[in-house]
Amino acid sequence: MAILPIFVLITTVRSVAGDREAGVFEYLLSLPVSLSAWFWGKIVGRYIVVFAPVFLAMLGAVIWATIQGIEVPWDMFGYYTALLAVMAACFLGIGMLISAIARTTDMAQGAAFMVWLFLLLFLDLILLGVMIQGKVAPELAVTLALANPLQVFRTAALALFDPQLIVLGPSAYVILDLFGTAGYKVFALVYPATLGVVSATIGYFIFRRGDLP
């Protein structure tokens, strides 16, 4: 939950900023390759590189469990793999947005680390008790927390083993009242994927309108 996002961000932000510093764009502009093909091709290639090891690790766990005669909960395996897939896509899109904005590789990597650190600081829903004590409506506090894709992933992963989210305390009542168990599972897949696609799209328009050389 903590390592995959920072790995995706740090490696992805070098895509545009690193190529800009290396002078790759000068060669790109002389080839019959459109900017959209290069940008989205970069995303697809990076996604395969990032998610393939994670999927192979999950598949290896299934193979090992089968060899050991352990029953595999296929529904849990499928949903958790989907959660990892959308989280990788989410931070890949955010990374491409940062990479398109930053002018240097060092600036891009610093911004990626700060984004990751900011999301970690607002990770735990239990800490929202402080906001609620400050007369903030519980629904608003939980909504702000669920804007954090890391928190969405964490809560959805907990829901696989604790459908009532008892470990989250009073925050669980707000979440279940807002979404319901099945609704939250859908939200946990749709929201990070949408955030990643929107971030990548914004990054593409910034990249297309920017000064490439």
Side-chain angles (χ1 to χ4, degrees), residues 48-64 77 81 84:
I48 294 173
V49 170
V50 167
F51 183 65
V54 177
F55 179 75
L56 290 176
M58 295 289 291
L59 190 61
V62 169
I63 294 174
W64 179 254
F77 168 80
T81 303
L84 292 172

Side-chain angles (χ1 to χ4, degrees), residues 6-26:
I6 189 61
F7 169 73
V8 174
L9 285 174
I10 292 297
T11 56
T12 301
V13 293
R14 298 179 60 90
S15 296
V16 178
D19 286 353
R20 182 184 291 114
E21 287 186 342
V24 172
F25 293 150
E26 296 178 3

Side-chain angles (χ1 to χ4, degrees), residues 141-159:
V142 173
T143 300
L144 291 175
L146 293 182
N148 181 354
L150 280 182
Q151 182 62 66
V152 172
F153 174 81
R154 176 177 181 264
T155 307
L158 288 174

Side-chain angles (χ1 to χ4, degrees), residues 9-102:
L9 285 174
I10 292 297
T11 56
T12 301
V13 293
R14 298 179 60 90
S15 296
V16 178
D19 286 353
R20 182 184 291 114
E21 287 186 342
V24 172
F25 293 150
E26 296 178 3
Y27 296 99
L28 174 65
L29 293 175
S30 65
L31 297 174
V33 178
S34 65
L35 295 180
S36 60
W38 181 87
F39 188 88
W40 296 107
K42 197 89 168 179
I43 290 180
V44 172
R46 172 55 56 184
Y47 184 80
I48 294 173
V49 170
V50 167
F51 183 65
V54 177
F55 179 75
L56 290 176
M58 295 289 291
L59 190 61
V62 169
I63 294 174
W64 179 254
T66 303
I67 294 175
Q68 295 296 316
I70 302 174
E71 183 179 358
V72 178
W74 291 106
D75 54 342
M76 184 179 296
F77 168 80
Y79 184 73
Y80 195 78
T81 303
L83 282 178
L84 292 172
V86 297
M87 186 170 71
C90 175
F91 284 94
L92 178 61
I94 295 174
M96 290 300 291
L97 174 59
I98 295 173
S99 187
I101 295 174

